[in-house]
Amino acid sequence: MGRSPCCDKVGLKKGPWTPEEDQKLLAYIEEHGHGSWRALPAKAGLQRCGKSCRLRWTNYLRPDIKRGKFNLQEEQTIIQLHALLGNRWSAIATHLPKRTDNEIKNYWNTHLKKRLAKMGIDPITHKPKSDALLSGTDAHRSKNAANLSHMAQWESARLEAEARLVRESKLRSFQQRLTRPTTTGFKTGWNSVNNAGFGDLESPKSTLTSSENGIGPSSIPMTEFAGTASASSETGIIKQEGEQEWKGLGGSSTNSASFTSTSIHDIGNAMEDGFINLLLNDSISTDPSLSDGGKESDGNSGGSHDHCQDDDDNNNYWNSILDLVNSSPSDSPMF
DNA sequence: AACTTCACCAACCGCTCAACG
DNA sequence: ACGTTGAGCGGTTGGTGAAGT
């Protein structure tokens, strides 16, 4: 798997792009498409490596890019998807129309990560920091320890499920094209994306994107997360089309210790049976201010909440994440 | 006004994976 | 089956402007 020499080649320019270079690249792609990135620079008359051209195009020049400040909704989306997907920026980016993975990554690193840290939330685990975990009563410590264990279990399951989904989605995508175009609910949602004709759009996305699409059906707007300031319902959870396939997502209180992901033939089932309950029932401690629309904490980060309230908040937080995943890009951001 | 520190973000680097011969 | 190549992804760096001293 040799790495391409790329910009190591002598004579190739590096560093910031000039307006002239941008113009050349834009003009060439508009006329010919990018084709082979490696071959593009020579054809376009650029002293750049193909990789540099590709990055410039995907992160800056592409016409469907939205630039500027992230709004509250976008922040919520990033935080909540990050809680679920981790640093899978390209996957997260598919839920944020017109935003690039690079931009999201930068925004996370420069804003959101710090904000969460400031709120006492570990930006990696999206849980209260360890020092917080170690404080409190024995009962709380015990519970937190259990949560850690569950989180590890969940993470493991999630990764495995994701990997499986990548493989299966490709197969299923092909099969679906041959059979039925209709979709309802999350289990087939990704097929709707595939069937919706996105195939002829340029897709620089990796298999992770496929996996991600597999989780989320299309056509559901990313609005109003649980517990957000804008939440419209009592619970803050929007009932989405296809939610019946998520039955029990928020209401069940059965113990999820039996969850295994070794046969996640259908990630929906796996999520139902497994980490959803696990998350919702075991009350993963999360700063409630997170659920507050991603806004800066107003200072009542848990202290004024009783135990039940914490559980509700946690449920809402993770519900909202799952709800979000149950949605998909309102349009195709990248492709 | 000069200097330092901080924040932001475009771009690069290096790794991985898939396609292809 | 194996090696090579192209492309994508995530982590990191470095330049630049803003804010602070």
Side-chain angles (χ1 to χ4, degrees):
Chain A
M1 318 293 182
R3 194 166 51 86
S4 55
C6 191
C7 302
D8 295 342
K9 282 179 183 170
V10 289
L12 292 186
K13 193 179 171 201
K14 290 162 74 172
W17 281 65
T18 64
E20 290 75 23
E21 288 177 311
D22 283 345
Q23 191 51 47
K24 279 184 181 177
L25 181 58
L26 256 177
Y28 181 85
I29 291 178
E30 279 174 3
E31 190 172 354
H32 304 98
H34 64 68
S36 165
W37 285 112
R38 174 156 287 224
L40 184 147
K43 293 177 182 173
L46 288 162
Q47 297 298 108
R48 295 271 182 176
C49 69
K51 196 171 182 175
S52 182
C53 293
R54 178 175 58 81
L55 282 171
R56 184 62 178 172
W57 171 256
T58 55
N59 289 333
Y60 196 84
L61 295 177
R62 239 179 36 206
D64 59 340
I65 289 178
K66 171 183 171 186
R67 308 194 68 79
K69 211 166 179 291
F70 283 72
N71 61 35
L72 185 60
Q73 201 175 95
E74 289 173 316
E75 290 184 1
Q76 291 169 359
T77 304
I78 294 169
I79 291 170
Q80 297 182 25
L81 278 173
H82 186 272
L84 190 72
L85 299 170
N87 293 355
R88 290 175 171 79
W89 306 116
S90 62
I92 293 171
T94 63
H95 281 276
L96 288 162
K98 302 180 190 299
R99 296 291 189 182
T100 69
D101 54 354
N102 202 40
E103 194 176 14
I104 292 167
K105 179 175 61 179
N106 282 334
Y107 191 70
W108 171 264
N109 286 329
T110 57
H111 292 93
L112 300 180
K113 195 160 81 173
K114 290 174 187 172
R115 192 182 301 174
L116 290 188
K118 214 173 182 178
M119 292 157 63
I121 295 172
D122 186 332
I124 298 171
T125 63
H126 289 254
K127 298 178 350 181
K129 286 178 178 168
S130 56
D131 54 347
L133 292 176
L134 294 175
S135 64
T137 66
D138 287 347
H140 274 101
R141 277 195 294 271
S142 172
K143 187 175 180 179
N144 287 330
N147 286 339
L148 280 174
S149 170
H150 287 314
M151 282 302 290
Q153 187 181 5
W154 173 46
E155 178 67 7
S156 173
R158 181 182 62 77
L159 290 172
E160 187 176 345
E162 199 171 357
R164 280 178 194 278
L165 191 70
V166 169
R167 291 193 295 270
E168 293 184 8
S169 66
K170 288 177 180 172
L171 180 63
R172 227 184 300 179
S173 172
F174 179 72
Q175 291 169 341
Q176 289 286 328
R177 284 168 194 263
L178 297 177
T179 56
R180 58 189 164 80
T182 58
T183 61
T184 53
F186 120 99
K187 287 180 181 176
T188 53
W190 62 273
N191 286 323
S192 74
V193 174
N194 285 335
N195 290 328
F198 288 101
D200 54 0
L201 293 170
E202 249 174 316
S203 175
K205 304 307 346 168
S206 71
T207 51
L208 274 174
T209 301
S210 301
S211 127
E212 199 270 343
N213 281 339
I215 297 172
S218 62
S219 80
I220 300 172
M222 297 174 292
T223 55
E224 298 186 16
F225 300 104
T228 65
S230 60
S232 59
S233 69
E234 192 175 349
T235 62
I237 303 293
I238 298 175
K239 300 300 177 188
Q240 307 283 18
E241 180 184 355
E243 191 182 31
Q244 60 273 22
E245 302 214 45
W246 287 81
K247 59 183 178 292
L249 185 146
S252 168
S253 61
T254 55
N255 196 305
S256 61
S258 62
F259 172 52
T260 63
S261 64
T262 54
S263 179
I264 309 175
H265 193 71
D266 186 297
I267 192 169
N269 290 336
M271 292 173 81
E272 273 186 17
D273 295 341
F275 55 78
I276 292 172
N277 287 339
L278 183 151
L279 287 169
L280 299 182
N281 298 329
D282 289 326
S283 175
I284 291 165
S285 300
T286 306
D287 192 321
S289 59
L290 233 195
S291 304
D292 189 20
K295 289 187 238 175
E296 294 284 1
S297 169
D298 59 3
N300 66 339
S301 54
S304 63
H305 289 61
D306 62 18
H307 183 72
C308 291
Q309 182 63 47
D310 284 344
D311 284 351
D312 287 345
D313 288 339
N314 292 326
N315 286 357
N316 285 341
Y317 178 68
W318 289 100
N319 253 331
S320 67
I321 291 169
L322 293 162
D323 212 37
L324 171 67
V325 171
N326 197 24
S327 71
S328 79
S330 52
D331 62 19
S332 183
M334 302 285 283
F335 343 108

